[in-house]
Amino acid sequence: MAKITYIDPQGARHEIDLRPGMTVMEGARDNDVPGIVAECGGACACSTCHVYVAEGWADRLPPMDPMEEDMLDFAPGVEPGRSRLSCQLTVSEALDGLVVEVPQEQA
Amino acid sequence: MSGVIVIGAGQAASALAAKLRAGGYEAPVTLIGEERDPPYQRPPLSKAYLLGEMPRDRLYLRPESFYAEAGITLRLGAPVTRIDPQARRVHLGEEALPFDHLVLATGARPRRLPAAIGGDLAGVFTLRGIADIEALAPLMRPGARLLVVGGGYIGLEAAAVARKLGLEVTLVEQSARILQRVAARETSDWFRALHQSHGVEIREGVGLARLTGETRVEGAELSDGTRLRIDLVIAGIGVSPESGLADAAGIACGNGIAVDAQGRTSAPGIWAAGDCAAFPWRGRQLRLESVQNAIEQAECVAANIMGAGRAYDPHPWFWSDQYDVKLQIAGLGQGHDHVVTRPGKRAGSVSHWYFAGPRLLAVDAMNDPRAYMAGKRMLEQGRSPEATEIADPTQDLAALMRAPARQTEES
């Protein structure tokens, strides 16, 4: 299991143990974390599962593929170096302790 | 309080129930579904799930424990027999359930090939529910001969999966071109070439005359007289809105269940959302078949049940996965008079921009999320770029979008 902490748009912290193989998006959806919409269900098609990863984590995550990179090029509220699509973050032991912040708005 | 009953347990029903609870609605909420699975995602059925790359429980929108914890009752495998709008009751055979608000989230059902032309033979499938895929997937074996009837998105996605699995695939489309109902010629041409390069035989302007076989399909006769030996048929010939219960209850229906901007049907206390609902949009009644519409319309209805008085005004978007191509569509292209092609910044990425005069209507982006996101933002803001700017690949898309208002987000 890996513990992932979500900070929702109201500032509330949700600490959730996730099975390796799930995505960070699925962990939020299954546990009713507000603010992660994930309309496309994880197909990297909509950008409504955008999160900011906490400092020090960006380099420890699986690298972005070109689709995710291009989506984030133009998604609103993106902060280079901190923004990821949580449907593309597959949970592994290496992600134990990851903290992500959910933005105020998804588009 | 009798609370809210939702007929349907799909994407719209799930979104509606979750939104009611998130909004503080405390009375009972019950979802009544015909299928036996808890609410699940349909888009992967014709993609990763058919390909065998996705386990069943990953289709579920939320774990079953979510509904119990949120106080949402799931009545699955339970067909509704009748709605009584005056008494405000839903009938399941002998049982009658009272409601304060009823939401029709009944979805749509696939059109089937008529039995008179062999549509009832074994080996003939439509793709709509988990059960369809469970029955079809074991037959998707290398070397099997598949006929896909219909060149819309479902048919094309099925053809792509079948080629990946090593089947021989022929696709017939009775219109002059694939995707004719939903896309411009440029997009049809692009996807035709994609499928041909993967070995799909595409026959346009050719219909299915009949399927042949004793009990199981063995052959097909096409409208041009061609005969094919086949093992399997997938019909992707569109869906019809599930408006039967509403119609029988005297609720106004046209192309689907008619609702007003807030999602109300013609019967007091009865609402509709998702694939089954036709709503007023820019001067016409529109019915959308998409995940986005299911979620956003359902959430709007949930808010209105709680008294928000909000009008539903979506910016439609869609996606499709075929082979290694992701198609993203922003807007609705119907009524366009010209299309501008814009090469993307990566090899093989391209977008088609639909215009009516100077007005941007829609963007089809093939492996080009930047074009999709830019087009979507422009449509949301009601802005149209110059066609000449779009056609010029040296013009930066980011510069063509007005700089967005900065979010002052402290984190």
Side-chain angles (χ1 to χ4, degrees):
Chain A
M1 299 294 254
K3 188 184 290 296
I4 310 290
T5 302
Y6 301 84
I7 302 175
D8 76 22
Q10 269 64 55
R13 293 173 74 91
H14 305 254
E15 289 186 11
I16 298 169
D17 288 318
L18 297 184
R19 265 185 294 121
M22 294 179 76
T23 65
V24 172
M25 176 279 285
E26 289 172 323
R29 190 191 62 191
D30 289 358
N31 293 282
D32 213 23
V33 175
I36 292 187
V37 182
E39 279 195 340
C40 78
C44 197
C46 72
S47 87
T48 63
C49 67
H50 173 209
V51 296
Y52 303 113
V53 300
E55 214 166 305
W57 273 98
D59 296 339
R60 297 164 63 184
L61 300 175
M64 284 196 236
D65 72 11
M67 288 300 289
E68 184 183 355
E69 223 169 80
D70 287 359
M71 292 289 287
L72 285 174
D73 261 358
F74 280 16
V78 166
E79 294 183 22
R82 296 184 66 218
S83 287
R84 291 297 302 258
L85 296 180
S86 57
C87 74
Q88 301 301 301
L89 297 176
T90 302
V91 173
S92 65
E93 301 293 343
L95 265 61
D96 187 39
L98 172 68
V99 178
V100 299
E101 289 167 34
V102 182
Q104 295 294 325
E105 274 188 274
Q106 299 280 2
Chain B
M1 292 277 278
S2 305
V4 174
I5 290 181
V6 183
I7 304 180
Q11 188 103 43
S14 172
L16 184 119
K19 190 73 175 178
L20 284 173
R21 287 297 183 238
Y25 187 82
E26 287 177 351
V29 175
T30 303
L31 311 188
I32 306 176
E34 237 171 43
E35 293 175 84
R36 297 199 171 274
D37 288 284
Y40 63 90
Q41 312 174 56
R42 293 191 194 278
L45 294 180
S46 52
K47 309 180 184 80
Y49 191 65
L50 182 59
L51 201 52
E53 286 181 349
M54 190 174 185
R56 186 185 182 115
D57 64 354
R58 228 166 158 171
L59 286 176
Y60 296 162
L61 285 163
R62 296 168 186 275
E64 282 193 86
S65 57
F66 164 81
Y67 301 96
E69 283 161 22
I72 296 163
T73 304
L74 295 182
R75 293 280 307 259
L76 302 174
V80 171
T81 46
R82 189 163 67 85
I83 300 165
D84 185 339
Q86 279 74 40
R88 295 208 173 189
R89 282 194 169 81
V90 166
H91 292 262
L92 292 84
E94 297 295 297
E95 190 184 0
L97 303 175
F99 60 81
D100 297 317
H101 295 273
L102 175 67
V103 183
L104 306 172
T106 45
R109 64 177 177 283
R111 293 196 192 102
R112 292 179 184 280
L113 295 168
I117 64 163
D120 57 349
L121 289 168
V124 180
F125 293 87
T126 54
L127 305 183
R128 183 69 185 177
I130 287 180
D132 296 325
I133 310 302
E134 303 279 308
L136 169 62
L139 305 174
M140 298 276 282
R141 287 190 291 262
R145 294 160 299 187
L146 168 68
L147 174 67
V148 177
V149 181
Y153 288 117
I154 291 287
L156 292 173
E157 288 176 359
V161 169
R163 285 302 297 151
K164 276 193 172 178
L165 293 173
L167 283 78
E168 290 175 30
V169 182
T170 302
L171 183 149
V172 294
E173 167 54 60
Q174 67 177 9
S175 308
R177 57 182 173 88
I178 58 170
L179 299 175
Q180 179 158 303
R181 190 177 67 88
V182 290
R185 175 172 305 282
E186 287 80 352
T187 298
S188 299
D189 291 347
W190 197 91
F191 278 96
R192 181 187 310 106
L194 174 73
H195 281 269
Q196 287 173 339
S197 75
H198 282 87
V200 176
E201 188 180 340
I202 293 193
R203 309 189 54 155
E204 296 160 296
V206 177
L208 174 68
R210 63 192 190 103
L211 301 171
T212 56
E214 290 283 317
T215 55
R216 171 164 287 279
V217 68
E218 291 170 4
E221 284 178 29
L222 306 183
S223 59
D224 65 357
T226 309
R227 287 163 185 254
L228 303 172
R229 305 288 308 163
I230 51 172
D231 305 302
L232 279 177
V233 176
I234 295 175
I237 51 175
V239 296
S240 309
E242 281 283 11
S243 51
L245 285 170
D247 205 25
I251 295 167
C253 295
N255 168 30
I257 302 166
V259 295
D260 67 11
Q262 293 192 24
R264 290 190 178 86
T265 70
S266 62
I270 303 184
W271 313 70
D275 283 11
C276 67
F279 58 95
W281 192 78
R282 316 220 172 143
R284 58 182 165 131
Q285 282 296 108
L286 180 66
R287 195 173 63 75
L288 292 171
E289 296 156 9
S290 75
V291 163
Q292 175 220 17
N293 179 62
I295 295 173
E296 293 180 7
Q297 195 173 20
E299 291 189 345
C300 184
V301 167
N304 290 338
I305 285 173
M306 295 183 284
R310 184 147 64 84
Y312 177 58
D313 183 19
H315 295 281
W317 74 272
F318 312 85
W319 88 95
S320 173
D321 292 311
Q322 296 166 44
Y323 311 103
D324 297 322
V325 173
K326 185 172 302 293
L327 164 67
Q328 294 164 292
I329 303 166
L332 295 174
Q334 282 91 344
H336 68 276
D337 54 26
H338 64 293
V339 173
V340 175
T341 297
R342 180 182 171 90
K345 85 173 182 184
R346 296 185 195 274
S349 64
V350 66
S351 54
H352 298 149
W353 298 64
Y354 295 59
F355 289 87
R359 195 157 65 88
L360 178 67
L361 295 182
V363 180
D364 293 343
M366 279 69 76
N367 280 343
D368 196 348
R370 300 172 91 250
Y372 164 73
M373 294 295 282
K376 186 164 185 279
R377 292 278 286 284
M378 291 179 198
L379 289 164
E380 284 167 1
Q381 294 165 356
R383 294 188 312 113
S384 297
E386 296 287 337
T388 50
E389 295 172 331
I390 290 299
D392 177 0
T394 64
Q395 291 264 358
D396 186 29
L397 272 180
L400 295 180
M401 284 167 37
R402 188 178 51 201
R406 282 288 300 162
Q407 297 267 331
T408 48
E409 230 160 28
E410 285 303 324
S411 44

